[in-house]
Amino acid sequence: MFTFNPCTKGGWGVVEGHSDHKPIVLPQVDPLDFTRLLALLYLRTESDAYTSTWKYSEWSSILRLGHKYQMDTVVALAKRKLDEIDAFPSPVVQIEYGRRYDCPAWVRAGYIELITRAVPPLSVAEGEALGMADILRCAQAREEYHIR
């Protein structure tokens, strides 16, 4: 978008972002995530009433894009809201988000949940997501925890 020559054959070509028919393309950005980010940025100046009903899916969208575009205030808000609703879909997702978005408390909470839950044991999908070293550490910690 910023390194193009809009002139073609003596006239203006179709420039990205010039119309609704030729929008600016943001690679690797889900349109729904971007819509949520714009809603937050626009409506934040008005009130928090709109975002008060947002759950994990909305705030995780905000966190992803805020992080991608280095919007520190937005990232901090999304982290705070995700902490408040405490609704990660699984402990493994919580661990992954904690690692990706530099939130050690999420990593710790995810591992504690994996280790202290009675059932089910770690699944194959959870193991693949965590990796061999983490699986072994979790298994050892689970054994020590459940022996007590």
Side-chain angles (χ1 to χ4, degrees):
M1 175 174 105
F2 298 108
T3 60
F4 65 89
N5 181 358
C7 294
T8 58
K9 295 186 182 182
W12 285 91
V14 179
V15 179
E16 189 177 67
H18 184 262
S19 70
D20 288 344
H21 300 292
K22 187 68 175 171
I24 296 172
V25 177
L26 300 173
Q28 300 174 344
V29 174
D30 183 281
L32 180 58
D33 289 353
F34 194 71
T35 300
R36 289 171 175 163
L37 178 63
L38 290 178
L40 174 73
L41 295 175
Y42 176 73
L43 296 171
R44 188 98 182 117
T45 59
E46 301 297 322
S47 76
D48 289 334
Y50 181 76
T51 61
S52 66
T53 60
W54 283 9
K55 303 290 182 222
Y56 168 80
S57 60
E58 289 86 3
W59 287 114
S60 62
S61 291
I62 298 299
L63 180 59
R64 275 191 302 275
L65 286 187
H67 184 263
K68 180 179 182 79
Y69 294 117
Q70 300 176 359
M71 304 169 84
D72 296 337
T73 306
V74 171
V75 168
L77 173 65
K79 284 180 175 181
R80 192 175 80 243
K81 293 295 187 175
L82 285 167
D83 274 338
E84 287 174 11
I85 60 175
D86 190 29
F88 285 96
S90 75
V92 172
V93 170
Q94 188 171 17
I95 292 165
E96 289 173 338
Y97 268 58
R99 288 178 175 163
R100 187 176 305 136
Y101 302 115
D102 190 31
C103 194
W106 292 350
V107 175
R108 188 173 33 260
Y111 278 119
I112 288 170
E113 186 173 336
L114 281 178
I115 291 164
T116 59
R117 73 181 185 195
V119 287
L122 292 173
S123 70
V124 172
E126 288 172 329
E128 289 173 349
L130 291 173
M132 181 61 76
D134 287 345
I135 294 169
L136 293 173
R137 283 192 286 269
C138 277
Q140 180 182 4
R142 282 176 62 95
E143 285 180 31
E144 291 173 9
Y145 176 80
H146 292 290
I147 287 174
R148 294 178 194 185

